[in-house]
Amino acid sequence: MRKVIFDTDTASDDAIALMLALDFFEVVGVTIVAGNVKYENEVNNALFTLEYLGKSDIPVFLGARRPILGQWRTVEEVHGKNGFGDWEYPKSSKKPESEFAVDAIIRLSKEYNGELEILAVSPLTNIALAYLKDSHIANRIKKIWVMGGAFSRGNTTELAEFNFWVDPEAVDIILNAGFNITIVPWEVAEETATITDEEWDKIEKIRSKRSEFFIRVNRTLREYSKSVGSKGSVHPDSLTVTIAYDNSLIAEKINKYVTVDLCSKSRGAMLIDWYNLKKSKPNAEIVTKVDSLKFKKYLFEALSKA
Ligand SMILES: O=c1[nH]cnc2c1ncn2[C@@H]1O[C@H](CO)[C@@H](O)[C@H]1O
């Protein structure tokens, strides 16, 4: 089985993405980073998710509690106060590891040299810090699957997607480090990984432990997404994990030189050199079209499992 680290700012869809990752891969570590909601809530959400899914043996490592440089804000309005649609789930008896996430990422990259992949459905702070501490990691990691960036329809500012906006300096570091990177941008997720009311009805009818989990953790996400004009709850993290597992979901992709804006108004905007104006070698593969039906098939299969 392919070995992965799951890097997450655990709230709503992150948890569904983790569920899928546990089905698809050998998850050798879950690393928590500042992003969606209060750090303590992210940690509790990750611990509870693993326990709920019967995977308490998977280690959770605590990482960066803030972005490298900038100010950011959490988005409880998107995910609910605790990040899990205000679900007052029981406190997990599982505890995080004492090793710092950044050190765990470096250690695991050595243990699984050349085969470890990172599912980064989060701001890239932990991974950037790992690179700053040990730049050789870029040669040891097989691939980083990045959920992040928007072509132009930012979900956090006019141009910026949340994960890129939280820590653009980290994005800049990662994009210039020589990693093998695939980016799944926001618009692709909104177009192909939106769960409509009709699909929510179907999920409600499954009545499995997992479908109940989906409904509870994504309750606020659903309301929020619809309030800003999406056709249902949007699931970019789940999509990214599924694409990582089955590359045949990718209908179209481009290889381009990508940077990120670090300035004030457009901070966090993904900048693609569409016409190779900079004469720089492509540093990322960007997914532009996805087979939505295939994604939903995987999601429904996972939710129907006992
Ligand atoms: O409005 C939102 N909808 C969906 N996900 C969001 C939103 N705001 C923040 N995130 C978080 O940021 C990434 C997507 O941009 C996802 O990783 C999700 O966890």
Side-chain angles (χ1 to χ4, degrees):
M1 235 182 178
R2 286 160 65 191
K3 296 182 175 55
V4 299
I5 287 175
F6 188 82
D7 190 72
T8 170
D9 48 343
T10 321
S12 65
D13 184 45
D14 285 72
I16 306 304
L18 176 54
M19 179 190 82
L20 293 169
L22 294 166
D23 284 356
F24 297 155
F25 303 100
E26 181 182 340
V27 180
V28 295
V30 173
T31 52
I32 315 288
V33 67
N36 276 318
V37 294
K38 240 174 76 190
Y39 198 79
E40 258 51 57
N41 286 329
E42 295 182 357
V43 174
N44 289 334
N45 293 343
L47 294 169
F48 173 71
T49 301
L50 290 169
E51 193 173 56
Y52 187 91
L53 296 170
K55 298 279 187 176
S56 290
D57 54 318
I58 292 178
V60 170
F61 302 96
L62 307 187
R65 287 168 183 267
R66 48 156 273 199
I68 292 173
L69 196 58
Q71 295 283 324
W72 100 109
R73 66 178 168 81
T74 53
V75 285
E76 278 79 6
E77 70 273 22
V78 177
H79 309 285
K81 227 190 286 158
N82 66 353
F84 265 11
D86 298 339
W87 179 17
E88 288 178 17
Y89 57 80
K91 195 163 168 50
S92 165
S93 57
K94 180 171 166 55
K95 297 274 175 287
E97 307 298 308
S98 57
E99 186 182 15
F100 186 44
V102 173
D103 295 319
I105 292 170
I106 293 171
R107 175 178 56 77
L108 290 163
S109 76
K110 289 178 182 163
E111 267 173 55
Y112 304 110
N113 193 351
E115 57 167 323
L116 185 64
E117 297 170 65
I118 300 179
L119 303 170
V121 295
S122 49
L124 293 172
T125 320
N126 283 342
I127 306 163
L129 291 176
Y131 170 76
L132 291 180
K133 191 165 178 186
D134 177 1
S135 64
H136 299 295
I137 194 173
N139 304 318
R140 295 193 298 265
I141 296 291
K142 189 174 180 193
K143 165 83 96 178
I144 309 178
W145 301 89
V146 175
M147 189 289 121
F151 295 111
S152 63
R153 290 167 60 97
N155 63 6
T156 304
T157 70
E158 290 91 331
L159 286 174
E161 175 279 335
F162 184 76
N163 290 339
F164 272 34
W165 175 83
V166 170
D167 200 342
E169 278 77 16
V171 176
D172 188 282
I173 288 166
I174 293 297
L175 284 172
N176 287 300
F179 285 103
N180 182 348
I181 298 172
T182 294
I183 296 175
V184 180
W186 168 252
E187 289 93 333
V188 173
E190 193 187 26
E191 200 180 306
T192 62
T194 295
I195 300 300
T196 62
D197 286 347
E198 217 177 45
E199 288 161 335
W200 267 79
D201 286 347
K202 277 193 202 151
I203 292 170
E204 268 155 18
K205 289 199 183 100
I206 298 174
R207 295 197 186 285
S208 66
K209 196 174 173 198
R210 284 169 167 222
S211 68
E212 191 186 326
F213 183 77
F214 180 98
I215 289 162
R216 286 183 185 257
V217 302
N218 291 310
R219 202 181 292 278
T220 311
L221 177 71
R222 179 190 191 185
E223 284 163 21
Y224 175 83
S225 305
K226 284 169 70 177
S227 78
V228 294
S230 299
K231 295 195 177 80
S233 55
V234 187
H235 297 266
D237 301 338
S238 298
L239 178 68
T240 302
V241 168
T242 310
I243 287 174
Y245 175 61
D246 183 352
N247 300 180
S248 79
L249 256 73
I250 303 175
E252 274 176 33
K253 60 189 180 185
I254 50 173
N255 268 292
K256 295 288 173 196
Y257 181 66
V258 185
T259 52
V260 60
D261 201 307
L262 302 172
C263 297
S264 54
K265 251 195 140 178
S266 47
R267 189 172 160 77
M270 176 166 68
L271 307 176
I272 302 173
D273 186 0
W274 291 98
Y275 297 105
N276 194 21
L277 306 168
K278 294 236 172 74
K279 308 287 174 228
S280 295
K281 243 178 61 207
N283 58 355
E285 171 182 275
I286 308 160
V287 175
T288 51
K289 275 213 169 76
V290 166
D291 184 338
S292 175
L293 290 177
K294 233 178 194 172
F295 163 67
K296 289 181 178 174
K297 194 162 165 277
Y298 276 116
L299 178 67
F300 274 83
E301 258 170 37
L303 294 175
S304 306
K305 273 195 185 171

